[in-house]
Amino acid sequence: MTGADLTFDVVVVGGGHAGCEAAAAAARCGARTLLLTHKIETIGEMSCNPAIGGVGKGHLVREIDALDGIMARAADAAAIHVKMLNLSKGPAVRGPRAQADRRLYREAVQALLRAQPGLTIMAGGAEGLELDEAGALAAILTGDGQRIRCGAAIITTGTFLRGEIHIGEKRFPAGRVGDAPAIGLALAFERLGLPLARLKTGTPPRLDGRTIDWAALEAQPGDDPPEPLSWLTERIGNRQVTCGITATTPETHAIIRDNLQSSAVYGGRIQGVGPRYCPSIEDKVVRFAERERHQIFLEPEGLDDPTVYPNGISTSLSEAVQERVVASIPGLARARILRPGYAIEYDHIDPRALTPMLELCQVPRLFLAGQINGTTGYEEAGAQGLMAGINAARRASGAAPEAVFTRSEAYIGVLVDDLTLQGVSEPYRMLTARAEHRLSLRADNAGLRLTDRGIAWGCVGADRAAHHRAFAKAVTQALVRATADGATPAALSGFGITVNQDGRRRSVLEALALPAVAMERVEAAFPWLRYVPPAIRTQLEAEALYAPYLRRQEAERRLLEREEKAAITETLDFDAVDGLSAEMRQRLKAARPATLGAAGRIQGVTPAALAALAVHLRRDVQRFT
């Protein structure tokens, strides 16, 4: 395409999960938005596993949904196997997960984007960046000569930035199978002197489900009924499928050990670091040599698609070795490989080059989101895209980008803070263990925590806002009633609920928190509980279970907020801070934390260094007040 320049408020480059959320969020905020992607037909493609959510990741999906993002709604429209993970554990670490029909998910994403007012979708490849005299982004340059002027842009290239696929000794440039890499943008970033590094990820071979011996495998059904990921979804309408579970064998491990040189990683053909929490099968066999089996989940990729995703055997072994590995696994002796597994190596930018708004410090009005920032996973990408979209829309309108969550407010806050402060040494994956305040940052209460903020930022539509207000009102009413209503120990014992016979009346919340008391007995004592909708009942149960811990956590949060408010100015000379070692000065200069709390999260910064910095900041406050 050539001709006159195009002009938009926000341009989003890339149609993956980060790009889709970014484009939708910017448009919801009122920005005239362009989504620029190589192939319109692959927008919303699930490039790796056919699932959304999980433990930690499911928390992010619910938070995206709370801010009116599209991921959860698309997952519900495509869901064919839904499970609430960690259901036997406390609400804080339960993670919703929906396995999706790939085609239905892609179609749902595209339909949601087409229905979004203010959003234009265009096929094309971004090859360059144009900056103004002040060094801020002015335009995106495409490979066919088009100049697209914009008030802000978001780059979401995923694994496409100088991407290269490895299968054994074979290697070829690609962003994913069948798609060309993004070379021009990588060179543009290089010319700007941005900190680039290489990472790698991988995918398993795809199998023909018609050639799998399902009868020999352990079956894994989904939940009945399946719980939607989005609060706007009333019910999952698709037919649900059963997955299979199998595992590697000592024979599998022997084949891999004997052929490690066939692996692109162990053969020395890949330099990028892979994800520690989602290792290849080669890594599992080498790093966990004492284990005789590694579990594999066989996940159908669609209702009308025979393809099966063997979750757990990501690999870059040669095709011939992959065939032997698959054949050695129970139930897969005759399984046919439809597409071999591969590793992909790609460029990313050190996320410490970004502000907490995901804007490049060096290039104002240019935002980055997704795997380009060193993360792995659809959910991490989508969360970054959404926040970058809100902030880019604000920047384009002339307002200061300020859409940020603290670590105590959201998993999104943990994600962005970890990236922009700590950087990455491997692809970053969200884990519940990363969140210090995970008892209050639950998947079930994401809307109650975040939707009001989204409304204030302008990224939440009228339907979502109305649903949120009705739900929040119902939860408040239920909590008030559960706090006020109660019974004496004698009355409770009549329903088989044993408490100390001290005469003290117990509220409904206290009864719900009693250990080893069946819900049926609590409902018998307080019959109105039977008519409380499940989503509101979940809030009551979590409040009852965590109440004393949440009070303690709230006190810690207030203390943390005071610490966070101890600002560190951009002009602070760390060399002038008494008591800091040369190493501590170097770490603080490199990270340039904005607050004392942020300084405390820099890897390697000691408590003694924080104390010295706190003393210096207090002296500065006293000096200028």
Side-chain angles (χ1 to χ4, degrees):
M1 180 188 300
T2 57
D5 293 349
L6 299 175
T7 301
F8 290 88
D9 296 326
V10 174
V11 174
V12 178
V13 176
H17 301 276
C20 292
E21 294 292 352
R28 288 199 306 277
C29 288
R32 292 175 299 120
T33 305
L34 172 68
L35 176 57
L36 181 69
T37 185
H38 281 103
K39 296 179 181 179
I40 293 177
E41 61 269 24
T42 60
I43 288 174
E45 187 74 50
M46 304 181 89
S47 301
C48 193
N49 64 310
I52 297 292
V55 179
K57 290 173 174 286
H59 293 69
L60 286 175
V61 176
R62 285 280 174 81
E63 292 185 350
I64 293 169
D65 189 60
L67 297 169
D68 218 7
I70 65 175
M71 180 174 282
R73 282 178 284 164
D76 287 341
I80 59 175
H81 180 98
V82 179
K83 285 191 77 70
M84 180 65 73
L85 304 185
N86 280 349
L87 194 57
S88 63
K89 299 183 180 180
V93 293
R94 292 174 188 165
R97 183 180 189 270
Q99 190 179 314
D101 180 303
R102 288 185 187 275
R103 177 183 60 81
L104 293 178
Y105 184 85
R106 185 174 61 246
E107 290 175 353
V109 169
Q110 293 178 15
L112 287 165
L113 293 179
R114 285 195 301 270
Q116 176 60 55
L119 176 60
T120 299
I121 301 172
M122 188 174 85
E127 290 294 322
L129 308 170
E130 181 183 306
L131 309 185
D132 63 18
E133 293 180 355
L137 182 78
I140 296 292
L141 308 176
T142 70
D144 55 10
Q146 186 76 53
R147 179 174 180 264
I148 308 173
R149 294 182 298 178
C150 54
I154 308 167
I155 307 298
T156 68
T157 48
T159 60
F160 280 63
L161 208 62
R162 265 195 294 231
E164 186 174 51
I165 283 178
H166 296 257
I167 306 173
E169 295 186 359
K170 292 196 302 185
R171 56 198 295 180
F172 51 92
R176 62 182 168 221
V177 167
D179 290 303
I183 304 297
L185 277 180
L187 296 174
F189 288 139
E190 210 167 53
R191 286 192 294 270
L192 289 171
L194 296 175
L196 288 161
R198 299 287 274 178
L199 290 175
K200 78 100 176 172
T201 188
T203 190
R206 303 304 200 274
L207 308 180
D208 185 340
R210 296 165 297 191
T211 63
I212 293 173
D213 184 4
W214 294 100
L217 302 176
E218 177 187 347
Q220 185 193 44
D223 292 342
D224 186 18
E227 178 180 330
L229 268 68
S230 173
W231 281 283
L232 295 187
T233 303
E234 292 186 6
R235 58 182 292 273
I236 301 294
N238 297 323
R239 173 172 60 86
Q240 299 295 286
V241 303
T242 298
C243 297
I245 301 176
T246 185
T248 58
T249 65
E251 180 189 356
T252 310
H253 299 184
I255 292 170
I256 292 170
R257 282 193 298 268
D258 292 344
N259 291 276
L260 280 176
Q261 288 304 307
S262 161
S263 164
V265 176
Y266 286 89
R269 294 177 289 280
I270 290 181
Q271 304 305 315
V273 181
R276 182 191 319 179
Y277 299 103
C278 188
S280 68
I281 189 60
E282 300 97 284
D283 280 337
K284 291 179 183 179
V285 169
V286 171
R287 287 164 49 191
F288 308 104
E290 73 284 358
R291 294 186 59 177
E292 293 188 350
R293 67 194 303 271
H294 294 282
Q295 199 165 58
I296 302 165
F297 294 92
L298 299 173
E299 302 175 340
E301 294 196 357
L303 295 174
D304 302 315
D305 185 348
T307 307
V308 169
Y309 184 93
N311 197 335
I313 53 170
S314 171
T315 183
S316 64
L317 291 163
S318 70
E319 294 181 52
V321 176
Q322 288 187 42
E323 290 178 356
R324 292 177 58 197
V325 166
V326 168
S328 70
I329 295 169
L332 307 184
R334 296 178 177 81
R336 184 167 68 92
I337 295 178
L338 297 175
R339 191 182 81 192
Y342 62 84
I344 183 165
E345 191 176 23
Y346 56 94
D347 282 355
H348 82 98
I349 289 177
D350 186 337
R352 290 175 295 184
L354 302 170
T355 71
M357 282 66 69
L358 300 179
E359 184 177 23
L360 274 167
C361 301
Q362 187 176 326
V363 187
R365 298 204 290 265
L366 183 59
F367 296 76
L368 307 181
Q371 285 179 281
I372 192 173
N373 291 338
T375 60
T376 182
Y378 307 147
E379 303 82 2
E380 292 85 349
Q384 293 172 72
L386 186 144
M387 300 307 291
I390 298 170
N391 283 308
R394 293 184 61 83
R395 173 66 80 191
S397 72
E402 59 179 22
V404 176
F405 291 115
T406 66
R407 299 180 71 89
S408 63
E409 292 175 319
Y411 272 86
I412 292 175
V414 174
L415 168 68
V416 174
D417 188 66
D418 281 349
L419 293 175
T420 58
L421 188 64
Q422 303 280 7
V424 298
S425 57
E426 62 187 60
Y428 179 101
R429 176 179 180 173
M430 179 49 68
L431 307 167
T432 54
R434 297 188 190 275
E436 301 90 336
H437 302 272
R438 57 185 171 273
L439 295 186
S440 58
L441 305 184
R442 305 187 307 274
D444 63 76
N445 70 356
L448 296 173
R449 289 186 284 114
L450 306 184
T451 302
D452 282 333
R453 290 284 289 281
I455 292 170
W457 289 334
C459 70
V460 172
D463 289 347
R464 173 83 57 180
H467 181 277
H468 162 69
R469 288 173 179 136
F471 180 70
K473 181 179 179 181
V475 169
T476 299
Q477 291 174 339
L479 284 171
V480 168
R481 184 172 184 180
T483 303
D485 193 7
T488 64
L492 290 173
S493 64
F495 296 100
I497 301 173
T498 303
V499 296
N500 290 335
Q501 296 297 310
D502 53 11
R504 185 176 68 83
R505 185 173 177 274
R506 266 59 168 192
S507 71
V508 174
L509 283 181
E510 288 177 294
L512 287 171
L514 291 171
V517 174
M519 177 57 68
E520 292 78 10
R521 295 184 179 182
V522 181
E523 288 178 343
F526 307 101
W528 63 270
L529 281 174
R530 297 187 180 120
Y531 307 102
V532 174
I536 297 174
R537 169 85 69 89
T538 297
Q539 298 303 309
L540 292 180
E541 293 173 354
E543 180 69 22
L545 179 63
Y546 291 134
Y549 306 102
L550 289 174
R551 285 193 291 271
R552 187 184 315 153
Q553 194 175 84
E554 177 61 19
E556 293 172 354
R557 188 186 67 80
R558 288 195 296 268
L559 181 63
L560 177 64
E561 283 184 349
R562 288 198 296 272
E563 185 179 71
E564 287 284 0
K565 291 176 182 176
I568 300 174
T569 64
E570 293 182 1
T571 57
L572 177 65
D573 181 6
F574 290 108
D575 290 329
V577 178
D578 294 334
L580 289 182
S581 67
E583 179 189 357
M584 294 300 103
R585 289 192 174 99
Q586 183 179 4
R587 290 180 184 274
L588 290 165
K589 287 177 183 177
R592 294 301 316 184
T595 66
L596 185 62
R601 295 191 296 276
I602 299 172
Q603 188 172 4
V605 169
T606 64
L610 284 177
L613 185 56
V615 169
H616 185 89
L617 293 175
R618 281 196 293 271
R619 287 174 181 165
D620 270 359
V621 171
Q622 293 167 0
R623 188 179 303 128
F624 296 107
T625 55

